[in-house]
Amino acid sequence: MTRSAAMPVDPDLREWLLGAVPALRAFAHSLTDDDARGDNLVQDTLLHAWTGAGGIAREQVTAWLFGLLRARFYAEPRLPPSRWDEACPVARRSDPRVEAVQFREALRRLPDPQREALILVGGQHFSYGEAAAICGVAVGTLKSRVRRGRARLAAELDRLAQP
């Protein structure tokens, strides 16, 4: 059953959805590497959640929302990196802003499964079990993605820091 304008608003669902927005935005922006596209993805996820949230238990809402967002991200057509990304190498100096740009670039270069595993476990502080459920994989697979993602991220950061 979908919600219509005539249906009453569930205040708990409204609060759960609003409370999840900052974490969903962070996850969407890290997946898309594009603030506008990430915001659109969050909006689409919340709309879908609002119309289909009947019967979701409170303790499952956050994982369910992240799962929805992830599924919607992978359903989108993928665009190649822009020419701007290739033409503007990161400056080589010890500046926190440059380091943040380097980190974001290194994270962007990870394969999607490794990047999302790192974001869910390291950035969003989901347990391995919760992150595995969101990604639809076994806990061991998720742990392996995190381990490989951390190693590859460290290697990318070292490469970007080289003069």
Side-chain angles (χ1 to χ4, degrees):
M1 179 170 86
T2 61
R3 296 183 189 279
S4 70
M7 292 183 72
V9 174
D10 178 352
D12 288 337
L13 177 61
R14 181 180 183 277
E15 290 304 312
W16 295 335
L17 294 177
L18 289 175
V21 168
L24 288 172
R25 286 187 79 219
F27 186 48
H29 291 181
S30 62
L31 287 175
T32 63
D33 199 32
D34 178 331
D35 290 347
R37 187 171 159 221
D39 285 344
N40 288 340
L41 186 59
V42 169
Q43 182 177 359
D44 186 48
T45 299
L46 291 172
L47 179 62
H48 184 79
W50 182 254
T51 60
I56 298 294
R58 179 183 181 145
E59 61 274 3
Q60 298 172 336
V61 169
T62 302
W64 180 66
L65 286 171
F66 274 78
L68 280 176
L69 189 140
R70 180 183 178 275
R72 299 186 99 60
F73 169 72
Y74 284 111
E76 289 182 347
R78 305 302 290 270
L79 300 174
S82 71
R83 300 287 291 169
W84 179 257
D85 292 342
E86 298 167 7
C88 297
V90 177
R92 308 270 194 247
R93 51 194 158 121
S94 182
D95 178 343
R97 292 171 296 184
V98 171
E99 289 174 5
V101 169
Q102 289 175 332
F103 181 81
R104 189 171 183 169
E105 175 63 20
L107 191 63
R108 186 181 67 79
R109 291 180 181 201
L110 296 179
D112 290 342
Q114 291 175 11
R115 183 174 61 243
E116 74 181 7
L118 283 176
I119 292 164
L120 291 171
V121 172
Q124 296 297 327
H125 307 290
F126 281 104
S127 70
Y128 285 116
E130 292 168 329
I134 290 169
C135 295
V137 298
V139 174
T141 300
L142 195 280
K143 286 181 177 181
S144 178
R145 288 177 181 178
V146 168
R147 182 183 47 75
R148 288 191 320 266
R150 284 179 178 152
R152 188 160 178 181
L153 182 62
E156 284 291 332
L157 287 169
D158 286 344
R159 190 187 65 70
L160 288 171
Q162 296 300 317

